[in-house]
Amino acid sequence: MSFSITGINYRQVGIQLRERVAFTAEALPDTLAALAEVPGLSEGLLLSTCNRTEIYHVGAVGSDELLCWLAHCGGINADSLRDHAYHYQNDEAVMHGMRVACGLDSMVLGEPQILGQLKSAVALARGCGLVGRVLEPALQQLFRVAKQVRTETSIGRHPVSLPSVIASLASQMFAAPRQLQVLAVGAGDIIRAVLRHLAERGTGSITIANRSQHSVAELVHSLGADYLPLGELPSALARSDMVICGVDSAATLLSRADLEQSGARPAQSPLLVVDLAVPRNVEPAAHVLENVYLYSLDNLWQLLEESRYRRETELPEAEALLATGLVTYRNAARERAAGELIAAYRGQAAQLRDAVLGRALRQLDKGCEPREVATALAQALTRKLTHVPSAHIRRVFAGREGVELEQTRTELWQLMQSVRNADTESGDADAEPTVVASSDINAPEVSP
């Protein structure tokens, strides 16, 4: 059975359609249970994020049946998905899955959240018994390559969003971020995102200065922050290490003089000031002050572009790791397939052996001559074990000519010689030595 991926993502589909087939964490268990009932599906998982919905599947079920199921879940016409959906199978599916796990197929190149989302989807599918002998090794290869890309390249180490850039600045400037005293002026979306970034990383304290206490009450509570009236802003500078401003105001909120007068700060202690407002909240001339590091929105965009460029320069190395990972997966898959075939062949040989041996034992019980029974057993077993391979060799030789025929002949004779060598090396003390003529070692010519 083959491994396939069927889905849609932000590249082909707008948010109006994506949101119809996006599933919340609460809805995923029931949705996955419904997926398990799709006829022909033997293994599967559902990856649903804001930018993609993908079904990783194994079995006789086709991509069109899965798209119809997905459309039914979203209450939309299946044609609207067919026009934009993609379907990958075998090697292409593994390569796409690795790109997804590494963040190379994400809207933000190299973002790490998708790997966690994929792991959650896998854990849920395992809990439903939907990850088996085909899907499991494919998923493990996805995770191995994703870890390798994260550790051996820098594609995920450069911030690519304004909140992450600002949080990265704080980490670079302050050796002990858990003692950081942060003062936020305003509570816009970017400031809220920055504060959550900082809170997740561990911050000493957060103070939020705003015109209205009511409008930030929930944010103050969720972050364990303190509230400060906007009029008391200058007095809070002396006890702050980082100031983030983003208030819609035509007037300057923090002047150069305000920052100069925060002299109660410890000597040589840096003050990071991030001004996200347009017009600016902080007087630009403040950047000349000693130990004051002022970043405007333009400065941040420049840092953001540099980070994006650094990530893109790592892309060829990441792609090379994916190519190697695909070869590794393909080789392992071949080994598994060969192992399964060998196990089946040995099992069949054991059944033939047991049948022939049982017949021989019954003959011995009847008093038949042991030597004759042993000879008949050996002949019967040889005949049964060589019948199917012999018939296959005839069919192979009948369908090949020239160089291909010569190569096949040589490989088969080498295989026979390997069998002889294995018998000789087995060290059977009771076995009579086998004399192999030179004409047996060199394969006879086959007339074209």
Side-chain angles (χ1 to χ4, degrees):
M1 288 186 289
S2 61
F3 164 48
S4 303
I5 297 177
T6 299
I8 59 170
N9 64 21
Y10 69 96
R11 298 181 188 274
Q12 294 89 5
V13 179
I15 192 171
Q16 296 85 353
L17 185 56
R18 292 202 313 275
E19 65 186 2
R20 299 295 296 273
V21 290
F23 304 97
T24 63
E26 293 76 16
L28 271 176
D30 290 340
T31 307
L32 192 61
L35 176 63
E37 298 300 320
V38 174
L41 185 132
S42 58
E43 300 179 41
L45 69 85
L46 181 61
L47 175 63
S48 180
T49 73
C50 58
N51 287 327
R52 72 181 65 245
T53 298
E54 295 180 342
I55 303 172
Y56 292 48
H57 55 100
V58 176
V61 62
S63 61
D64 193 66
E65 291 92 332
L66 291 173
L67 289 175
C68 289
W69 174 82
L70 197 58
H72 176 74
C73 291
I76 57 178
N77 191 297
D79 289 338
S80 60
L81 292 181
R82 288 192 188 99
D83 294 340
H84 307 286
Y86 45 81
H87 176 69
Y88 300 107
Q89 195 169 7
N90 297 326
D91 285 0
E92 288 185 349
V94 174
M95 178 59 79
H96 176 76
M98 289 191 297
R99 290 183 60 81
V100 170
C102 296
L104 303 189
D105 195 56
S106 297
M107 186 177 291
V108 177
L109 181 64
E111 58 94 3
Q113 288 80 13
I114 185 64
L115 181 58
Q117 292 165 332
L118 180 57
K119 287 183 176 180
S120 297
V122 171
L124 187 60
R126 280 203 187 104
C128 294
L130 287 175
V131 178
R133 67 180 185 85
V134 177
L135 203 50
E136 184 66 50
L139 293 170
Q140 290 304 317
Q141 182 64 11
L142 266 55
F143 295 145
R144 276 193 294 269
V145 172
K147 180 179 180 180
Q148 191 176 13
V149 169
R150 292 286 169 189
T151 55
E152 296 184 19
T153 74
S154 300
I155 201 163
R157 298 174 193 167
H158 306 291
V160 287
S161 68
L162 274 180
S164 59
V165 165
I166 295 168
S168 179
L169 278 175
S171 297
Q172 294 172 24
M173 186 168 294
F174 301 99
R178 293 190 178 278
Q179 300 176 11
L180 194 63
Q181 309 297 307
V182 179
L183 172 61
V185 185
D189 290 342
I190 296 179
I191 287 183
R192 289 171 181 260
V194 172
L195 294 179
R196 290 192 178 96
H197 264 272
L198 294 172
E200 288 172 0
R201 297 186 181 192
T203 300
S205 70
I206 296 175
T207 301
I208 300 175
N210 199 56
R211 293 190 182 98
S212 166
Q213 183 174 5
H214 176 73
S215 62
V216 296
E218 184 178 346
L219 179 64
V220 167
H221 176 73
S222 65
L223 296 176
D226 298 316
Y227 171 74
L228 181 75
L230 202 57
E232 300 178 18
L233 185 59
S235 63
L237 292 174
R239 58 179 183 271
S240 300
D241 301 300
M242 179 178 182
V243 180
I244 313 168
C245 300
V247 175
D248 184 10
S249 173
T252 298
L253 297 184
L254 287 175
S255 66
R256 171 178 173 172
D258 291 330
L259 295 173
E260 276 184 311
Q261 291 169 9
S262 60
R265 298 176 48 75
Q268 305 302 317
S269 178
L271 177 62
L272 174 60
V273 182
V274 178
D275 190 352
L276 300 173
V278 178
R280 286 175 283 186
N281 291 161
V282 182
E283 184 180 355
H287 82 278
V288 302
L289 297 175
E290 187 176 5
N291 294 326
V292 172
Y293 298 87
L294 175 61
Y295 288 84
S296 68
L297 205 52
D298 284 351
N299 300 138
L300 295 174
W301 282 120
Q302 184 178 357
L303 291 175
L304 194 56
E305 287 302 313
E306 291 174 358
S307 290
R308 286 174 179 164
Y309 174 76
R310 291 193 190 101
R311 286 198 175 199
E312 289 173 358
T313 59
E314 297 288 328
L315 191 54
E317 185 177 352
E319 294 283 9
L321 291 174
L322 263 63
T324 302
L326 180 60
V327 172
T328 301
Y329 171 80
R330 187 184 298 143
N331 292 339
R334 288 172 178 168
E335 289 182 7
R336 286 193 300 273
E340 292 172 0
L341 182 59
I342 291 170
Y345 178 71
R346 287 178 173 173
Q348 186 181 37
Q351 289 178 351
L352 293 173
R353 176 205 64 204
D354 293 343
V356 172
L357 179 60
R359 188 181 308 117
L361 292 174
R362 287 193 296 272
Q363 290 174 342
L364 289 174
D365 290 340
K366 293 178 181 179
C368 295
E369 173 63 33
R371 182 179 294 275
E372 293 178 359
V373 171
T375 300
L377 181 150
Q379 291 174 343
L381 191 57
T382 300
R383 185 172 58 254
K384 289 179 178 293
L385 289 177
T386 59
H387 172 70
V388 173
S390 298
H392 181 70
I393 289 173
R394 289 191 183 95
R395 288 195 298 271
V396 169
F397 269 63
R400 299 184 184 183
E401 297 179 355
V403 175
E404 187 179 16
L405 178 60
E406 178 66 20
Q407 289 176 342
T408 301
R409 181 186 64 84
T410 302
E411 289 174 2
L412 288 173
W413 277 94
Q414 288 174 345
L415 176 61
M416 292 174 61
Q417 184 60 37
S418 298
V419 172
R420 290 194 187 99
N421 292 338
D423 288 341
T424 303
E425 295 169 2
S426 63
D428 188 346
D430 297 328
E432 296 181 1
T434 302
V435 178
V436 181
S438 60
S439 60
D440 291 333
I441 298 175
N442 299 314
E445 294 294 329
V446 176
S447 299

